[in-house]
Amino acid sequence: MAKYDYDLFVIGAGSGGVRAARLAAMSGAKVMVAEEHRVGGTCVIRGCVPKKFMVYASEFSHHFKTAKGYGWTVPEATFDWPTFLAEKDKEIARLSGIYVRNLQNAGAELVHGKARLIDAHTVEVEGHGRYSADKILVATGGRPWLPRELPGCELGITSNEAFHLPELPKSIVIAGGGYIAIEFAGIFNGLGVETTLVHRGPNVLRGFDDDVRAHVTEEMERRGITVLLGCQHTAVEKAPEGLISRLSTDHDVTSDVVMFCLGREPYVEGLNLEAAGVKLSETGAVAVDDYSKSSVDNIWAVGDVTDRINLTPVAIREGQAFAQTVFYDKPTRFDHEMVASAVFSQPPIGSVGMTEAEARHEVGKVDLYLARFRPMKYTFTGQAERSLIKLVVCAATDRVLGCHVVGPDGPEIIQMAAIAMKMGVTKAQWDSTCAVHPTFAEELVTMREKHVPMAMGQEA
Ligand SMILES: Cc1cc2nc3c(=O)[nH]c(=O)nc-3n(C[C@H](O)[C@H](O)[C@H](O)COP(=O)(O)OP(=O)(O)OC[C@H]3O[C@@H](n4cnc5c(N)ncnc54)[C@H](O)[C@@H]3O)c2cc1C
C-alpha cells in the first residue's frame, strides 16, 4: 500500500501550479491540485488575459482618431461597458474550462477549497478534509498590496475589482507607478474615463530604463492622463460628489473610483507554512533554491509566491523545471536571465536585458543607440505621438545588453529581440541584419550613430 494518498499535492491552480501538475501527472505520478478560487489563477481570471482584453477595448478610441486622419468618417462612437464585461467573462470562463480539462486529461485530480499545511506531508482543504502527499508544491501566487493604515483605504479598489466594476466610472484616481497602474491608466483613459495617476516617486515604472520611463510619462500625458508625481494619498474620503483623494501635496482630487496599484505581495496568508518549517524570505516570499526547493526537503514553490520575476511565462517555466527535476529525473533550473517583458501602456513597451543604469553598473563603459521618432502611421494624422527605441551595448565586447522599445507593437518586437540577445548577439551582428521595410521595427537595425546623453544641466 502506498505510504501517502498522493505523490504530489499542488496548492494553487494558476500558471505555475497547473503546468507543474500536468507534467507530473503525465509522468504517471498521482497528483492532486487544490484551488480556492477559479482554475487559471491570476493570469487567466484577474490578470494578463482580462487586462489585455481591456487594453484592446480601450485602444479603439485612439484608432477612431487615427482613422479620421486617413479620411474615414467616424460617427460619434459609444462604448457599452456591460456588453464588454459579458463577452470578456464568457471568454475567461472558456479559458478556465480549458485549464480544468487539461488537468483532467493529464490525469490530475482537482479539489476546490483553501488549502493549508498541517505538517510537511499533510494538506488540509477547507470543506474536504486532509490529504497526505510525498511531495508538496506551493504555487499560490501573489495578491495586491494595500496601504491598510491609510484612512479610507477600504473605499478604494484594486486590480481584482477593476475587472468587475458594475459601471464604467466617469473619473478615476489610480495610485501607483508600476506596470499595472500604468496599464490601467491607459485602459480607463482610452475608455473615456477622466484619469489621474498619483505616484509618490519622481518617475513611473521603477526598474525600467530611465529614457523609457520619461518617454512613457510624456506620452501618457499627451493622451490626456493627468500624472501627479512626487505625491501620495494621505486619505480617501467619501463625499456626495464622489471619493476625495487627499494628497501629500495638499492637492485634492475628486473621482468616482480610487484604485490602488501599489504593488503585489506573495500570497502565503493562511497557508500555515510554519507547521512544516518552510522558511520565508525578507519580502515574505517562500525562500527557494535554484531548483525551486524550499527549506523543507519535500516542499517546493514556484511562481509569484517566490517573488523572483513575477510574470506568467516565468511561473510556467519554473513549474516545468520543477516537474522535470522531480518527476523526470532531469535536474533543470530555469534561467532568469534575459527575460523579456511588456507593459501594455498606450503606447506599449517591450524591454529585455539591462537598463542603461544597470549596464553602467555591471560592465562600466557602454555605447548607447537611441531613436525617437513619429511612427509612420501618424505622420499625417495630426497625432503627435512619438516612439522610442534604445539599445545598450557593452563597449568592450560589443554585446547587446539591453533593448527597449516604446511604440506600436513594442511587446511583439521584443520577443524576437530577446532570442538574439539570449544567444549573445553583438551590435555588429545586429547591424548586419537587413531591415524589413517599411516597418516600425526596422529602426532597430538602422541605428548607426552612438547616442551621447546630455550631461546634467545641459538640457534645453
Ligand atoms: C492585473 C495584472 C496584470 C498582469 N499582467 C501580466 C502580463 O501582461 N504578463 C505577464 O507575464 N504577467 C502578468 N501578470 C502577472 C501574472 O498574472 C502572474 O505572474 C502569474 O499569474 C503568476 O502565476 P502563479 O502560478 O505564480 O500564481 P497565480 O496565477 O496567482 O495562481 C495562484 C493560484 O493559487 C490559488 N491559491 C492561493 N492560495 C491558495 C490556497 N491556500 N489554497 C488553494 N488555492 C490557493 C489562487 O486562487 C490562484 O488561483 C499580471 C498580474 C496582474 C495582477
Side-chain angles (χ1 to χ4, degrees):
M1 211 180 106
K3 192 168 170 203
Y4 300 107
D5 300 333
Y6 291 93
D7 297 316
L8 173 67
F9 196 105
V10 178
I11 307 179
S15 307
V18 168
R19 174 58 62 95
R22 281 179 60 204
L23 285 179
M26 284 156 69
S27 78
K30 197 170 177 220
V31 180
M32 174 62 98
V33 184
E35 170 55 53
E36 68 171 356
H37 185 49
R38 288 174 71 189
V39 174
T42 305
C43 171
V44 177
I45 309 297
R46 48 183 179 257
C48 331
V49 175
K51 181 263 316 264
K52 191 79 187 277
F53 287 135
M54 287 176 87
V55 170
Y56 284 140
S58 66
E59 282 173 342
F60 282 101
S61 55
H62 185 71
H63 297 330
F64 294 143
K65 278 189 202 142
T66 312
K68 281 186 192 164
Y70 277 85
W72 287 88
T73 301
V74 184
E76 201 196 335
T78 56
F79 173 70
D80 190 53
W81 176 249
T83 303
F84 167 72
L85 283 194
E87 292 304 320
K88 175 210 42 119
D89 289 343
K90 230 195 285 174
E91 179 59 9
I92 299 304
R94 188 183 75 85
L95 292 174
S96 179
I98 291 175
Y99 270 68
V100 172
R101 279 198 299 284
N102 285 346
L103 275 175
Q104 288 166 342
N105 292 343
E109 293 173 54
L110 187 60
V111 57
H112 282 278
K114 186 169 178 68
R116 67 184 198 113
L117 296 188
I118 300 301
D119 59 43
H121 287 283
T122 314
V123 181
E124 185 174 76
V125 181
E126 216 168 54
H128 294 273
R130 293 184 178 186
Y131 303 83
S132 66
D134 183 19
K135 299 177 174 69
I136 293 171
L137 178 70
V138 179
T140 50
R143 62 177 179 177
W145 180 87
L146 275 167
R148 290 187 200 283
E149 71 295 345
L150 180 82
C153 169
E154 71 287 352
L155 298 170
I157 63 161
T158 69
S159 59
N160 286 349
E161 293 76 40
F163 296 114
H164 303 284
L165 288 174
E167 57 191 43
L168 189 64
K170 289 201 170 39
S171 53
I172 190 165
V173 170
I174 299 177
Y179 81 93
I180 295 176
I182 301 307
E183 291 178 338
F184 274 100
I187 288 168
F188 283 113
N189 179 60
L191 293 177
V193 179
E194 192 185 321
T195 304
T196 305
L197 185 83
V198 174
H199 176 50
R200 71 174 179 179
N203 212 340
V204 297
L205 291 175
R206 191 158 56 90
F208 283 80
D209 188 89
D210 286 341
D211 282 315
V212 168
R213 301 169 74 188
H215 189 89
V216 166
T217 307
E218 236 171 72
E219 292 303 330
M220 285 198 301
E221 287 176 326
R222 202 196 298 281
R223 288 222 185 176
I225 298 169
T226 304
V227 181
L228 303 176
L229 297 174
C231 78
Q232 57 185 324
H233 279 86
T234 54
V236 180
E237 289 165 18
K238 201 171 185 157
E241 62 276 25
L243 296 176
I244 303 177
S245 289
R246 305 241 183 249
L247 304 179
S248 53
T249 42
D250 289 337
H251 190 131
D252 293 345
V253 184
T254 304
S255 61
D256 292 341
V257 171
V258 172
M259 178 173 176
F260 294 112
C261 300
L262 296 168
R264 292 176 62 81
E265 58 186 359
Y267 185 24
V268 293
E269 194 183 86
L271 269 177
N272 203 25
L273 291 173
E274 55 284 5
V278 175
K279 292 206 174 91
L280 300 185
S281 70
E282 274 173 15
T283 61
V286 177
V288 289
D289 67 12
D290 287 350
Y291 293 92
S292 296
K293 189 192 268 195
S294 79
S295 55
V296 178
D297 228 25
N298 71 310
I299 301 181
W300 284 258
V302 294
D304 286 9
V305 76
T306 62
D307 200 17
R308 287 175 278 181
I309 299 178
N310 298 331
L311 293 172
T312 288
V314 175
I316 291 173
R317 295 293 288 270
E318 287 169 357
Q320 183 170 322
F322 154 77
Q324 278 171 338
T325 302
V326 178
F327 291 96
Y328 291 82
D329 203 18
K330 248 205 249 168
T332 308
R333 289 189 257 204
F334 172 65
D335 176 10
H336 291 84
E337 290 296 312
M338 287 289 176
V339 172
S341 70
V343 178
F344 296 95
S345 45
Q346 298 179 34
I349 304 169
S351 179
V352 59
M354 294 184 206
T355 65
E356 178 186 335
E358 284 166 349
R360 287 191 191 284
H361 184 255
E362 290 281 320
V363 303
K365 199 164 172 321
V366 294
D367 292 331
L368 304 173
Y369 298 84
L370 188 136
R372 273 197 189 89
F373 56 98
R374 187 138 40 131
M376 185 179 173
K377 191 173 180 181
Y378 304 133
T379 48
F380 63 77
T381 62
Q383 285 150 305
E385 180 169 314
R386 290 171 75 76
S387 297
L388 175 140
I389 294 183
K390 180 171 178 180
L391 290 182
V392 182
V393 177
C394 175
T397 62
D398 199 39
R399 188 169 168 192
V400 181
L401 301 174
C403 176
H404 310 281
V405 179
V406 187
D409 300 324
E412 305 292 337
I413 292 167
I414 213 67
Q415 182 69 82
M416 301 311 291
I419 298 173
M421 288 174 60
K422 187 95 186 162
M423 293 169 74
V425 68
T426 62
K427 179 67 165 60
Q429 291 167 326
W430 192 280
D431 289 348
S432 72
T433 308
C434 189
V436 180
H437 182 74
T439 64
F440 168 74
E442 70 183 298
E443 293 288 336
L444 268 180
V445 293
T446 52
M447 291 192 293
R448 297 283 185 268
E449 274 182 35
K450 287 181 193 164
H451 166 74
V452 183
M454 278 189 264
M456 292 277 280
Q458 245 184 293
E459 283 96 331

